[in-house]
Amino acid sequence: MTPARNQRVLLASRPEGLPRPDNFRIVEEPCPVPADGQLLLEILYLSLDPYMRGRMDDAKSYAEPVALGAVMEGGTVARVIASRHAQYAVGDIVLSHSGWQRYALSDGIGLRKLDPSAAPPSTALGVLGMPGFTAWAGLLQIGRPRPGETVVVAAASGAVGSAVGQIARIQGARAVGIAGGPDKCAFVRDELGFDAVVDHRAPDFAQQLASACPQGIDVYFENVGGKVWDAVFPLLNDFARVPVCGLIAQYNALPQAAPGVDRLALLMRDVLTKSLTIRGFIQREFAELRPAFLQEAQGWVGDGRLRYREDIVEGLDKAPAAFIDLLQGRNFGKLVVKVAPWAI
């Protein structure tokens, strides 16, 4: 039977700086009913990711912003609970992009069936999903690490960064992680097997990073920006490659609040004299490579070479607070909201 009510999290107002709880509004509405060619999804897991902060702003970007009053967007794992679509049956588990809500209609476009016996369904939002693919594509297609080179990755305990360092080691490179706090640093070093890890909160962070990279840095996978970039930049070797995946330290900064002097001239001089390759990317640019990623990553997860950690928050109503914490680095691992209490 179709549930009577649907819970949704809407964008109530556009944030200035760090989002606040009142930027979100939780509503209950009648649950939609599928028409011919449609199916009704019950959301099991919702992915929370830093890119969502940019979608809250009404600014030009690679994707349209979330409209005021619209449901917050996001990747989800869902179960089909009603179907009038020939290719999907009740009980199918699918990867979808249904956003911050408990139930959603779909016409089947963009869905991917998941096999819960092959891997926990939540991994389709993390190590075997968009974050894992982002790490794989950005590192191997742009960073192109060679055996013996030094690969440094910021936010190394997070969903993307943790995969970057492990894949770098699989490729024969030396992996140096940057993380915040002793617990995250211990996880990166002891559980993920990075060659070295540096705490960006340490007062002598820049000196520790230089000591951890005695031969300089050949590939820097950028997830953070800010003071982390300031410490990394002088250590880049000639012909270093810098895949720019995210700049989470700057996402909440207002344009008029940018600290410090303009260092663009210094940056551009060294880009020229060191022949650096710095390229921003969005993972969908490499969409045709997703099957190759899944084949490799599933094998690495299966044999233990690619490990992951999930930070699971229970209840859709907890999503706004969890997202705000994410933007302040308070999560530990891939942040996922368990929307359905019984989710597998």
Side-chain angles (χ1 to χ4, degrees):
M1 294 179 60
T2 300
R5 308 292 290 175
N6 185 19
Q7 186 181 53
R8 312 176 85 202
V9 181
L10 311 182
L11 178 62
S13 59
R14 302 205 183 276
E16 295 183 1
L18 182 70
R20 306 181 313 273
D22 61 6
N23 295 132
F24 306 89
R25 182 161 56 95
I26 300 176
V27 300
E28 287 198 2
E29 301 174 349
C31 194
V33 177
D36 286 341
Q38 292 185 322
L39 52 151
L40 181 64
L41 302 175
E42 179 183 25
I43 309 306
L44 307 182
Y45 294 100
L46 164 68
S47 178
L48 297 182
D49 300 285
Y51 79 84
M52 296 172 176
R53 174 60 184 84
R55 303 291 174 85
M56 298 176 75
D57 291 333
D58 187 11
K60 184 177 180 180
S61 184
Y62 62 88
E64 291 296 318
V66 176
L68 289 175
V71 66
M72 285 288 296
E73 73 160 60
T76 56
V77 168
R79 181 176 70 100
V80 178
I81 60 171
S83 179
R84 300 181 66 180
H85 192 293
Q87 296 179 10
Y88 295 91
V90 171
D92 284 346
I93 305 297
V94 298
L95 178 67
S96 68
H97 202 81
S98 301
W100 298 25
Q101 55 187 332
R102 291 195 64 184
Y103 301 97
L105 284 180
S106 172
D107 58 8
I109 296 175
L111 298 186
R112 177 165 65 87
K113 290 184 181 181
L114 302 175
D115 180 3
S117 66
S122 58
T123 60
L125 301 174
V127 67
L128 297 178
M130 182 272 288
F133 180 59
T134 299
W136 182 90
L139 181 64
L140 300 186
Q141 299 300 311
I142 300 174
R144 299 183 180 275
R146 294 184 285 270
E149 289 191 323
T150 296
V151 175
V152 173
V153 57
S157 68
V160 174
S162 61
V164 167
Q166 292 179 88
I167 295 171
R169 284 181 53 83
I170 290 170
Q171 302 301 310
R174 182 171 179 270
V176 177
I178 298 170
D183 290 343
K184 291 182 179 180
C185 288
F187 170 71
V188 170
R189 180 185 59 247
D190 301 336
E191 296 191 41
L192 301 183
F194 281 46
D195 296 283
V197 61
V198 182
D199 189 342
H200 67 74
R201 297 176 183 171
D204 59 344
F205 162 62
Q207 291 81 1
Q208 287 193 32
L209 182 63
S211 296
C213 304
Q215 304 301 317
I217 297 172
D218 301 295
V219 179
Y220 173 54
F221 198 103
E222 175 66 287
N223 289 316
V224 174
K227 70 172 187 178
V228 173
W229 168 256
D230 291 341
V232 166
F233 185 62
L235 304 177
L236 293 175
N237 290 329
D238 292 354
F239 307 107
R241 290 82 70 197
V242 182
V244 179
C245 172
L247 298 166
I248 194 170
Q250 300 166 212
Y251 286 165
N252 298 311
L254 298 175
Q256 66 269 28
V261 298
D262 185 354
R263 292 185 287 269
L264 183 60
L266 172 64
L267 170 66
M268 290 300 103
R269 184 196 70 188
D270 279 17
V271 167
L272 172 63
T273 60
K274 293 185 176 183
S275 298
L276 304 181
T277 297
I278 300 175
R279 180 186 163 184
F281 74 101
I282 308 301
Q283 51 87 25
R284 66 188 184 194
E285 299 170 31
F286 304 105
E288 73 280 0
L289 300 176
R290 191 175 294 274
F293 155 71
L294 283 173
Q295 182 177 7
E296 280 199 324
Q298 285 173 342
W300 293 336
V301 170
D303 65 20
R305 286 188 289 171
L306 182 56
R307 301 181 180 184
Y308 64 94
R309 176 175 178 141
E310 294 178 328
D311 188 344
I312 296 181
V313 175
E314 299 204 10
L316 183 61
D317 59 321
K318 303 295 195 305
F323 179 64
I324 293 170
D325 284 347
L326 167 70
L327 294 175
Q328 299 176 91
R330 294 176 180 163
N331 65 301
F332 194 160
K334 175 67 190 85
L335 184 57
V336 176
V337 177
K338 187 178 181 180
V339 179
W342 56 268
I344 52 179

